[in-house]
């Protein structure tokens, strides 16, 4: 469950999530969602393959993977299945009830099945899956400007990197038409970019708010194309 525990210095609410007992809820996925998101990914990122989830709890969360091509020299990863359930959004944000997530990896990122047995290469996929399931596990929601740390205090996602949390933004490498998908009548899915952050950047957002952090990220050219060794944008 999500439990609000005060506010940050910037005035944003801080939510902490506690594990709670519940039965395993098998999910199989919505064919209409798969079809529409698949068409969307192919239109904007090119032909794709699917990293299938074998056994799913709450939502069937696959990863659509578009390989580097002449137009986009990077891997594009998009979740499919997070939007099978609506998130527990406040009423004033009801237009944001459904979401999927995306990020991009450098063209030389190892993605063979053998490579993905190594956490140094698998962690971005694990991150997408854990974030995609998080709103349904804790009856909460994720939206633009939200940050999530990797534990408390946040720890790096993998050995040798300093990235230990994320912020969600609108995708920056894709046009505005990519930002949402009309899946059904009265169901539009918002697509958010996952931008991994360093610890001081997480702290900066808590102290100064999302808009201040976003200006620093934009000024440094940080977008959804992952750069594990990038320097901090916080002076």
């Amino acid at each position: 469950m999500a439990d609000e525990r005060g506010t940050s210095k910037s005035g944003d609410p801080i939510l902490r999530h506690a594990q709670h007992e519940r039965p395993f809820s098998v999910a199989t996925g919505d064919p209409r969602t798969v079809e529409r998101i698949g068409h969307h990914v192919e239109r904007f990122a090119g032909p794709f393959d699917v990293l299938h989830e074998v056994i799913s709890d709450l939502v069937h969360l696959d990863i659509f993977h578009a390989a580097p091509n002449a137009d986009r020299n990077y891997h594009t990863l998009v979740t499919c299945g997070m939007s099978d359930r609506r998130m527990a959004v406040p009423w004033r944000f009801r237009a944001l009830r459904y979401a999927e997530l995306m990020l991009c990896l450098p063209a030389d990122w190892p993605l063979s099945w053998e490579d993905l047995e190594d956490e140094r290469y698998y962690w971005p996929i694990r991150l997408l899956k854990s974030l995609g399931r998080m709103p349904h596990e804790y009856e909460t929601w994720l939206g633009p400007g939200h940050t999530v740390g990797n534990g408390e205090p946040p720890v790096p996602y993998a050995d040798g990197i300093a990235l230990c949390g994320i912020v969600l933004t609108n995708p920056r490498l894709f046009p505005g038409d990519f930002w949402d998908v009309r899946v059904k009548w009265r169901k539009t899915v918002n697509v958010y970019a996952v931008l991994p952050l360093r610890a001081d950047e997480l702290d900066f957002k808590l102290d100064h708010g999302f808009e201040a952090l976003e200006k620093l990220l934009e000024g440094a050219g940080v977008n959804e194309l992952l750069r594990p060794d990038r320097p901090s944008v916080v002076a």
Side-chain angles (χ1 to χ4, degrees), residues 8 68 105 122 148 213 229:
S8 66
L105 299 175
Y122 182 68
V148 180
L213 175 63
D229 58 350

Side-chain angles (χ1 to χ4, degrees), residues 67-89:
N69 54 50
D71 296 321
R72 300 185 179 279
N73 189 31
Y74 43 79
H75 300 275
T76 303
L77 305 179
V78 183
T79 63
C80 180
M82 178 182 177
S83 61
D84 285 348
R85 289 177 179 241
R86 68 178 61 183
M87 297 184 291
V89 303

Side-chain angles (χ1 to χ4, degrees), residues 33-34 37-38 60-64 78-84 100:
T33 299
V34 173
I37 293 178
H60 182 80
L61 202 61
D62 291 330
I63 304 291
F64 288 180
V78 183
T79 63
C80 180
M82 178 182 177
S83 61
D84 285 348
E100 298 288 352

Side-chain angles (χ1 to χ4, degrees), residues 4-226:
E4 187 166 332
R5 298 288 181 87
T7 59
S8 66
K9 290 183 180 179
S10 67
D12 293 331
I14 297 176
L15 296 180
R16 290 182 171 86
H17 301 89
Q19 293 284 354
H20 62 285
E21 294 293 331
R22 61 168 181 79
F24 189 90
S25 178
V26 178
T28 57
D30 175 25
R32 178 64 172 171
T33 299
V34 173
E35 176 189 17
R36 294 299 299 157
I37 293 178
H39 288 166
H40 194 73
V41 171
E42 187 166 22
R43 174 188 170 194
F44 287 96
F48 65 92
D49 53 61
V50 183
L51 303 178
H52 286 285
E53 193 167 67
V54 178
I55 301 177
S56 303
D57 183 25
L58 293 172
V59 290
H60 182 80
L61 202 61
D62 291 330
I63 304 291
F64 288 180
H65 162 238
N69 54 50
D71 296 321
R72 300 185 179 279
N73 189 31
Y74 43 79
H75 300 275
T76 303
L77 305 179
V78 183
T79 63
C80 180
M82 178 182 177
S83 61
D84 285 348
R85 289 177 179 241
R86 68 178 61 183
M87 297 184 291
V89 303
W91 177 250
R92 66 185 182 278
F93 297 125
R94 59 191 179 275
L96 308 181
R97 290 176 295 179
Y98 301 102
E100 298 288 352
L101 306 173
M102 63 86 64
L103 61 75
C104 300
L105 299 175
D108 60 354
W109 191 274
L111 280 176
S112 71
W113 289 113
E114 293 77 13
D115 293 324
L116 294 181
E117 293 180 359
D118 188 329
E119 191 65 21
R120 291 176 300 169
Y121 307 131
Y122 182 68
W123 72 264
I125 296 171
R126 184 186 301 281
L127 176 61
L128 286 175
K129 285 180 171 288
S130 63
L131 290 172
R133 195 163 271 114
M134 176 184 168
H136 312 302
E137 287 182 326
Y138 299 107
E139 299 176 15
T140 185
W141 69 293
L142 292 174
H146 288 187
T147 50
V148 180
N150 186 34
E152 190 176 352
V155 297
Y157 290 114
D159 292 340
I161 63 172
L163 301 172
C164 60
I166 63 96
V167 64
L168 297 183
T169 72
N170 290 323
R172 302 178 181 191
L173 296 174
F174 291 79
D177 289 351
F178 178 78
W179 298 359
D180 54 65
V181 189
R182 182 70 175 270
V183 172
K184 300 176 182 177
W185 181 67
R186 297 181 68 180
K187 180 178 180 179
T188 297
V189 176
N190 300 282
V191 181
Y192 301 126
V194 175
L195 274 59
L197 300 177
R198 300 167 67 108
D200 59 345
E201 294 166 341
L202 284 170
D203 290 340
F204 183 89
K205 190 267 186 177
L206 290 175
D207 291 345
H208 302 283
F210 170 62
E211 291 185 2
L213 175 63
E214 188 173 40
K215 288 181 180 178
L216 293 181
L217 294 170
E218 289 181 347
V222 177
N223 52 41
E224 61 266 30
L225 178 54
L226 178 65

